[in-house]
Amino acid sequence: MDLQTAIHTLKEKGYKRTKQRERMLKIFIDQHHYLAAKDVIRDIQQYFPGVSYATVYKNLYLLTEEKLLETIEMNREKHFRLARPGHKHLFICKACRETKDIDLCPMELIKNDLEGYVIENHKFEVYGICPQCH
């Protein structure tokens, strides 16, 4: 996804185009790993020193709700990255936060254990250390 597509998506849903939001989207477009909110705040405050934590968090959750960002929980803290299309499962390096797609979907292995249950969604994440950080 590029910046103009993301901005257009927000505009279609009635959200205003703001410089802070644009910068936040640019941060995620330029990165290929998950970022903690504090990393985003640090970057944004270089360009907008007066921006509050509340504004950054509000926009992170707005972008997540509108499916422009996706989140994971790591070290009891939410991390964000640009949402990618399709069904993904991930290996996430706890040192550098780089990710690797996992092609296998574990739902095929466990759906027999969930007979009678209605599965609405699922997420599969494996955490560890990548070869470069090992």
Side-chain angles (χ1 to χ4, degrees):
M1 176 183 317
D2 64 20
L3 183 60
Q4 292 309 314
T5 302
I7 291 168
H8 179 73
T9 299
L10 289 173
K11 197 171 186 178
E12 279 185 331
K13 295 184 178 200
Y15 297 105
K16 292 180 184 176
R17 180 178 186 160
T18 68
K19 296 225 182 268
Q20 291 91 346
R21 224 174 256 156
E22 281 185 41
R23 179 64 203 154
M24 189 175 292
L25 286 165
K26 180 99 172 82
I27 292 167
F28 289 105
I29 289 167
D30 291 344
Q31 295 295 323
H32 299 287
H33 60 270
Y34 284 92
L35 297 170
K38 63 185 174 194
D39 299 324
V40 177
I41 290 167
R42 190 178 316 118
D43 184 289
I44 294 258
Q45 287 181 335
Q46 291 177 9
Y47 296 87
F48 306 99
V51 73
S52 71
Y53 282 75
T55 297
V56 172
Y57 276 99
K58 178 178 140 191
N59 278 289
L60 285 170
Y61 285 100
L62 166 79
L63 295 173
T64 302
E65 188 176 299
E66 295 303 332
K67 309 275 190 258
L68 295 173
L69 297 180
E70 55 191 34
T71 65
I72 60 166
E73 186 97 9
M74 193 166 23
N75 301 325
R76 296 184 304 250
E77 180 179 20
K78 278 200 184 284
H79 288 67
F80 303 82
R81 81 165 179 187
L82 198 62
R84 296 176 306 154
H87 185 89
K88 302 288 182 205
H89 300 294
L90 300 171
F91 172 87
I92 303 160
C93 179
K94 291 172 63 177
C96 68
R97 292 178 267 169
E98 286 296 324
T99 61
K100 178 177 178 3
D101 288 345
I102 299 170
D103 293 328
L104 174 73
C105 180
M107 288 306 295
E108 294 304 314
L109 301 172
I110 64 172
K111 68 181 177 183
N112 288 339
D113 289 340
L114 299 171
E115 191 174 325
Y117 290 81
V118 176
I119 300 166
E120 294 180 351
N121 198 357
H122 73 278
K123 201 174 191 180
F124 182 67
E125 300 162 356
V126 177
Y127 295 89
I129 304 296
C130 71
Q132 291 83 352
C133 293
H134 184 68

